[in-house]
């Protein structure tokens, strides 16, 4: 099993952005988030973002990049982008209809986790 360099790099970039956005929300956007009442929404976006960046990193390190493994990675990645992305935008803009998009990202994350569960893992 050979690590997938592109998946690892993307996961690392996603992790970097998760830390940066979390810090920016806590410090640079505090007034905006308070005005929209979306501090907790930003925190949720950041939390899911960072957790799934780590999961994507692990999957990249142990990737077979075939069958369920390939689709698990893609599903989790798109889930983060849609789930956290829609929450970040909603938090900053106050545009509440973006919350209707968020469950699509959550569903993609759930599908990704199920695909990880059915993936064939090598024996140690």
């Amino acid at each position: 099993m050979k690590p997938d360099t592109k998946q690892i790099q993307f996961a690392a970039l996603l992790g970097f952005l998760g830390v940066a956005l979390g810090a920016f929300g806590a410090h640079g956007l505090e007034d905006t988030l308070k005005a929209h009442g979306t501090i907790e929404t930003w925190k949720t976006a950041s939390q899911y973002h960072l957790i799934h960046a780590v999961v994507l990193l692990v999957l990249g390190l142990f990737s077979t990049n075939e069958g369920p493994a390939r689709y698990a990675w893609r599903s989790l990645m798109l889930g983060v982008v849609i789930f956290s992305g829609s929450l970040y935008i909603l938090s900053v803009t106050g545009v509440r209809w973006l919350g209707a998009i968020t469950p699509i990202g959550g569903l993609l994350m759930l599908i990704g986790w199920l695909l990880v569960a059915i993936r064939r893992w090598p024996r140690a």
Side-chain angles (χ1 to χ4, degrees):
M1 193 170 4
K2 183 178 173 186
D4 188 310
T5 304
K6 289 184 182 190
Q7 287 182 353
I8 292 167
Q9 289 173 329
F10 186 87
L13 179 60
L14 199 64
F16 172 87
L17 288 172
V19 172
L21 288 168
F24 187 54
H27 303 292
L29 292 175
E30 187 175 11
D31 293 339
T32 301
L33 298 177
K34 280 183 181 177
H36 293 296
T38 55
I39 291 173
E40 290 303 313
T41 302
W42 187 275
K43 286 180 181 179
T44 298
S46 181
Q47 179 183 14
Y48 277 75
H49 183 156
L50 286 169
I51 290 167
H52 286 85
V54 172
V55 172
L56 289 169
L57 177 64
V58 170
L59 288 176
L61 288 168
F62 298 101
S63 180
T64 57
N65 209 11
E66 56 191 40
R70 174 188 299 161
Y71 298 112
W73 198 92
R74 289 177 182 175
S75 183
L76 288 167
M77 183 268 300
L78 284 173
V80 171
V81 170
I82 295 170
F83 181 87
S84 294
S86 65
L87 290 179
Y88 287 136
I89 295 169
L90 181 153
S91 296
V92 172
T93 64
V95 177
R96 299 282 180 195
W97 65 263
L98 285 167
I101 296 168
T102 306
I104 296 168
L107 181 60
L108 286 167
M109 287 184 208
L110 290 170
I111 291 168
W113 279 107
L114 286 174
L115 290 170
V116 169
I118 65 169
R119 176 182 173 199
R120 300 185 118 219
W121 293 91
R123 293 183 188 256

